[in-house]
Amino acid sequence: MLSLASFVVVVAGIMAAASIITPILLSLFISIICIQPILWLNKKGLNHTLAVIIVLIGIIAIFTGFGAVIGNTINDFANDAPYYANKLRGLLDGLIHTLNEKGINISAEKWESIIDLGSVMNYTANVLSDFGSFMGNTMLIFFIVVFILLERASIRLKAEIIADSYHNSLDVPLTIIESIRSYLGLKTLISIATGLFIWVWLLIFGVDYALLWGLIAFLLNYIPNIGSIIAGIPTILFALVQLGPAHAGWTMLGYGIINMVVGNVVEPRVMGQKMQLSTLIVFISLVFWGFMLGTIGMFLAVPLTMIFKIILDQNPRTAWISIMLGSEQHAREVAQENSLKKKKREARA
């Protein structure tokens, strides 16, 4: 009961301080991603400070590009969302009227109570608005990233001294950093490819806001399992409103093909067992971290859960929790290790 009460207190504290914790977490993860190109530039002969400056210029260019793309577009789309929702409702009413004429009795009120079309567009607008708020914290995040990268060597030295003083190892924090860097790096490349394919596909069929939908596909691809679905629904409905059922069908086909190839072929082969998390746990983590930290929490759900899994795996008393969080492949690896240990003990006996 004491542990449960402590957990509730910690969760409540995180939720209360979400506005402070979120930009710090984002800064840490961005810094971890930036470490790799900095190390690469160091190997090419550039000193650490110059390498950090070059990488930071790249970050500024990316954030500036994001701001230019989504700035006015987010406001325009958020303002137009009720208009598109009304058009969707009109299409739905027309469909229901046609079905009723053919003898298929459907209540419009009951259907709308089940599927609120307005909420689909409004939810998309709210997600974009959350990113607009995130862009408002750009300078805070940028400066935190700057100081982390500039003091990377100092932070590592301090960590080594502390670990040596308390006879601990840096294996766990290094494993956490490497896992997050590898996951976020590969996920970023896959998300960029997904966004580009969606953008090109929508351009071919003349869907408005193609760049915005591609950006949404890129961003929401960071949310495992449901991100691509969330990204596709408003785009398909928008294509239906703008261009009609045929183009909506082509839009749906494009999303289906791209997400099937990326999600079921490319991502498993490229990512491999980087996550080592159960699909069920990934989905639950989306709900949990989204509840605590909002939309940004859903984007950080997997790396945050990975951190806790690695930490829990180090303590024999909590290793069983890590196994429960892990994938089936991870459980099989643990079972194989336990079997080998058992055989060694029997051989010694």
Side-chain angles (χ1 to χ4, degrees):
M1 291 298 294
L2 180 61
S3 299
L4 180 60
S6 301
F7 176 76
V8 171
V9 171
V10 171
V11 169
I14 292 175
M15 292 178 63
S19 60
I20 299 175
I21 293 175
T22 301
I24 293 175
L25 287 175
L26 283 170
S27 302
L28 289 173
F29 289 139
I30 292 173
S31 300
I32 290 173
I33 296 175
C34 292
I35 287 175
Q36 188 63 27
I38 290 174
L39 293 177
W40 182 81
L41 290 173
N42 290 156
K43 291 180 180 179
K44 295 297 181 179
L46 295 178
N47 63 59
H48 180 69
T49 302
L50 184 57
V52 169
I53 292 173
I54 293 174
V55 171
L56 290 176
I57 291 174
I59 294 175
I60 293 173
I62 292 173
F63 274 83
T64 302
F66 266 34
V69 171
I70 69 176
N72 295 327
T73 309
I74 287 176
N75 293 329
D76 292 342
F77 183 81
N79 293 331
D80 292 340
Y83 166 75
Y84 294 124
N86 289 332
K87 290 197 68 173
L88 280 171
R89 192 169 288 108
L91 290 173
L92 177 62
D93 290 341
L95 175 62
I96 292 174
H97 179 71
T98 301
L99 292 175
N100 288 339
E101 287 183 344
K102 294 183 179 296
I104 303 175
N105 295 321
I106 298 177
S107 171
E109 293 77 10
K110 188 175 182 179
W111 182 260
E112 287 191 9
S113 66
I114 297 173
I115 302 176
D116 185 0
L117 294 176
S119 66
V120 176
M121 288 297 180
N122 290 331
Y123 178 77
T124 305
N126 290 336
V127 170
L128 292 172
S129 297
D130 284 346
F131 275 98
S133 300
F134 158 70
M135 296 302 291
N137 291 325
T138 299
M139 292 305 298
L140 173 62
I141 295 172
F142 176 76
F143 281 116
I144 295 176
V145 170
V146 169
F147 290 124
I148 291 175
L149 294 179
L150 289 176
E151 296 192 15
R152 185 185 69 84
S154 174
I155 293 172
R156 184 182 179 99
L157 175 61
K158 294 173 184 177
E160 290 175 349
I161 294 172
I162 293 172
D164 185 59
S165 300
Y166 291 92
H167 306 289
N168 292 324
S169 173
L170 289 178
D171 291 344
V172 174
L174 290 177
T175 300
I176 290 174
I177 292 173
E178 175 58 26
S179 298
I180 294 174
R181 185 199 64 77
S182 179
Y183 170 78
L184 290 179
L186 292 173
K187 192 68 173 178
T188 298
L189 294 176
I190 293 172
S191 297
I192 290 173
T194 301
L196 286 175
F197 285 134
I198 293 293
W199 174 51
V200 172
W201 183 272
L202 296 178
L203 278 179
I204 292 172
F205 291 97
V207 179
D208 289 343
Y209 294 106
L211 185 59
L212 177 62
W213 301 123
L215 178 63
I216 291 174
F218 159 70
L219 293 172
L220 295 186
N221 196 64
Y222 280 95
I223 302 178
N225 303 332
I226 64 173
S228 57
I229 299 175
I230 296 174
I233 291 174
T235 312
I236 294 168
L237 293 177
F238 185 87
L240 176 65
V241 171
Q242 181 200 348
L243 301 170
H247 284 77
W250 284 110
T251 301
M252 183 185 297
L253 178 64
Y255 270 87
I257 293 174
I258 293 169
N259 289 320
M260 185 179 298
V261 172
V262 172
N264 297 327
V265 179
V266 177
E267 191 163 320
R269 292 189 178 183
V270 175
M271 300 286 288
Q273 295 296 319
K274 298 296 181 184
M275 287 196 304
Q276 289 195 338
L277 293 174
S278 162
T279 304
L280 173 62
I281 295 300
V282 170
F283 184 78
I284 293 175
S285 71
L286 294 177
V287 178
F288 178 75
W289 291 109
F291 172 72
M292 287 207 301
L293 300 176
T295 303
I296 301 299
M298 298 180 70
F299 285 80
L300 302 179
V302 170
L304 288 172
T305 306
M306 289 170 61
I307 290 173
F308 281 101
K309 181 183 180 300
I310 294 171
I311 293 173
L312 292 170
D313 197 37
Q314 307 307 310
N315 190 330
R317 291 184 299 177
T318 58
W320 66 273
I321 303 177
S322 174
I323 295 173
M324 293 298 296
L325 295 177
S327 62
E328 181 180 352
Q329 179 63 31
H330 177 251
R332 292 182 184 277
E333 292 174 358
V334 173
Q336 187 175 5
E337 291 178 5
N338 292 339
S339 177
L340 291 174
K341 292 178 181 178
K342 183 178 179 180
K343 288 181 180 179
K344 289 181 180 179
R345 288 195 300 267
E346 290 176 352
R348 291 173 183 173

